[in-house]
């Protein structure tokens, strides 16, 4: 049995119960003006039908896997477009002379790809990867573009390191790789392993980059998950990165892969302020792990040169 099939079997055993803190009955502010505009203009959905459409899609996507980003409609926040480097990545993709190839890791329903497409990125440059092949169909149902946005989805496990895998055949071909709200689901060792795999996928040309965001903390620490975040009797840990540990992790990966990287990582203080105000207003605390020190991290990792750093293990 391969490691990929074992992972898929493990994921299949996770409860789809909606009686969990991250299942949001009402979409509320998760349907942003930008998300509504995308569905109205790009997808051609009548404004009066949008919320019912989203409830239907969310509930079907929940049965595929009960991610918090699905239960809380975070996919409609179009997170990549909030990244400080979004405008520069979009400009790079839209350049008439560009041959940039963009890969969205953990693409889920492909929402960030549709936002890029809506903002003028060429479809032939955009690809998404996810472990769940069903997300390709669900993305088409969400955005009603099965006839116009085809063959942009790669069903694969980023941690499948088989040299003959579908993903391995694309090693070194991606100019920009996006990883949004993805790395933080792993422990430290798995985050390091994932980042090494990402660097193998990335083109080694100077200027190739990884951009993204994840939940972090001003105080880095390991968290042991408890029910309902894991099943009864299951043990799983995650590692919440600070700016400093996140930078150090990429420096560890840099030394192992023989590249020189420029790592830029910042805390999203505005989102934290907005969240604290909402918590004070509603009395509801939505920080599941880190408490008041939790912060979102925005990061950009750029290749400066290849072969300039020793490749010690």
């Amino acid at each position: 049995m391969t490691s990929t099939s074992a992972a898929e079997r493990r994921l299949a055993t996770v409860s789809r119960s909606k009686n969990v803190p991250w299942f949001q009955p009402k979409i509320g502010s998760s349907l942003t003006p930008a998300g509504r505009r995308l569905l109205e203009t790009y997808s051609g959905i009548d404004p009066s039908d949008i919320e019912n459409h989203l409830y239907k899609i969310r509930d079907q996507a929940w049965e595929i896997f009960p991610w918090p980003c699905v239960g809380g409609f975070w996919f409609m926040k179009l997170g990549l477009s909030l990244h400080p480097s979004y405008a520069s990545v979009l400009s790079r993709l839209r350049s008439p002379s560009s041959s940039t190839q963009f890969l969205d890791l953990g693409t889920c329903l492909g929402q960030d790809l549709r936002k890029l497409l809506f903002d003028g990125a060429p479809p032939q440059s955009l690809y998404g990867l996810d472990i769940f092949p069903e997300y390709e169909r669900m993305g088409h149902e969400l955005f009603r573009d099965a006839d116009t946005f085809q063959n942009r989805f790669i069903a694969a496990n980023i941690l499948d390191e088989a040299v003959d895998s579908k993903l391995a055949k694309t090693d070194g071909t991606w100019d920009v790789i996006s990883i949004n709200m993805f790395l933080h689901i792993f422990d430290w060792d798995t985050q390091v392993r994932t980042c090494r795999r990402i660097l193998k996928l990335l083109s080694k040309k100077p200027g190739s980059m990884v951009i993204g965001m994840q939940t972090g903390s001003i105080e880095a620490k390991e968290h042991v998950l408890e029910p309902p975040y894991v099943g009864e009797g299951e043990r799983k840990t995650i590692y919440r990165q600070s700016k400093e540990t996140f930078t150090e992790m990429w420096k560890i990966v840099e030394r192992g892969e023989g590249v020189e990287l420029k790592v830029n990582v910042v805390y999203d203080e505005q989102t934290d302020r907005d969240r604290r105000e909402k918590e004070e207003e509603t009395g509801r605390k939505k920080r599941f792990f880190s408490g008041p020190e939790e912060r979102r991290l925005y990061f950009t990792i750029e290749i400066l040169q290849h072969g300039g750093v020793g490749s010690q293990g």
Side-chain angles (χ1 to χ4, degrees), residues 8 22 73 111 134 145-146 192 197 225 289 308:
E8 290 169 348
W22 57 90
F73 294 99
Q111 62 276 359
E134 301 93 332
D145 60 356
V192 172
R197 185 70 192 90
L225 300 187
F289 304 111

Side-chain angles (χ1 to χ4, degrees), residues 67 69-70 75 104 106-111 129-130 135-136 139 153:
W67 293 118
C69 65
V70 172
F75 59 91
D104 183 26
T107 192
C108 195
L109 304 181
Q111 62 276 359
L129 179 145
D130 207 285
Y135 282 154
E136 180 178 24
F153 189 95

